[in-house]
Amino acid sequence: MSWSDGMTFANKDHIIDAKATMEDSDTDIGHNSSNGDSPWDRMDKYGQWGGTVGENLSYGAMNGMNAVIQLYIDDGVPWRGHRNNLTNPDFLVMGAAAGEFPDFGNIMTQNFAKTFKEAPENYPSRRSLHVDDAPLIISEKDARKLAG
């Protein structure tokens, strides 16, 4: 699997929109943006996806590993869509972002696609790939401790 900056920017946009919508109207917008855009519409802003696409949302997990475990177990989702996204052999590219979220503590989004042609000319010129202003920098040793 390869990483996509463009898909990550699409995830970051969704987190910012979802957080603002929850704070302003106490409404969780789920997979669609407050303006009705789907995950695929958001990805289109930063590149061109092809083949199969998918999105996972995780709320309230303590860290990235816990979010992935939560999505893999997929309790309460009878068709196990999040697990299917994580294990789908057609997904060869992904992007992800995480940030604070009202009531749940945090949110993580993941987008997947078979292909994604990046459009760096559409990337925000002064935005980092971190939802918070200060990027999290952590050593591999400390990351392993957090993961348990």
Side-chain angles (χ1 to χ4, degrees):
M1 178 149 322
S2 61
W3 185 258
S4 166
D5 287 345
M7 291 168 72
T8 299
F9 278 121
N11 284 307
K12 182 176 177 178
D13 287 350
H14 190 52
I15 289 172
I16 292 167
D17 180 43
K19 179 180 179 184
T21 302
M22 180 63 101
E23 290 173 341
D24 294 345
S25 64
D26 199 31
T27 302
D28 178 15
I29 59 177
H31 290 283
N32 290 330
S33 299
S34 61
N35 68 359
D37 281 354
S38 70
W40 349 120
D41 295 327
R42 290 189 300 273
M43 286 191 274
D44 283 343
K45 184 175 175 182
Y46 299 108
Q48 182 179 5
W49 56 270
T52 306
V53 292
E55 179 178 76
N56 284 346
L57 300 177
S58 169
Y59 298 90
M62 298 288 291
N63 58 44
M65 180 173 285
N66 285 346
V68 172
I69 290 169
Q70 175 191 55
L71 292 165
Y72 187 79
I73 292 172
D74 221 2
D75 192 34
V77 181
W79 60 283
R80 303 291 191 235
H82 302 108
R83 181 185 301 181
N84 292 337
N85 282 344
L86 289 170
T87 60
N88 188 333
D90 289 335
F91 291 148
L92 303 176
V93 185
M94 79 168 291
E100 292 181 4
F101 195 75
D103 298 332
F104 296 101
N106 58 55
I107 182 175
M108 181 184 71
T109 66
Q110 303 169 323
N111 284 339
F112 306 91
K114 183 164 183 93
T115 63
F116 191 79
K117 184 177 180 206
E118 303 283 339
E121 65 276 9
N122 295 340
Y123 295 174
S125 60
R126 299 202 170 181
R127 270 179 42 197
S128 69
L129 287 175
H130 302 279
V131 171
D132 300 318
D133 290 336
L136 174 64
I137 300 172
I138 189 167
S139 70
E140 179 180 353
K141 179 180 169 187
D142 288 338
R144 290 185 186 280
K145 283 183 197 175
L146 286 173

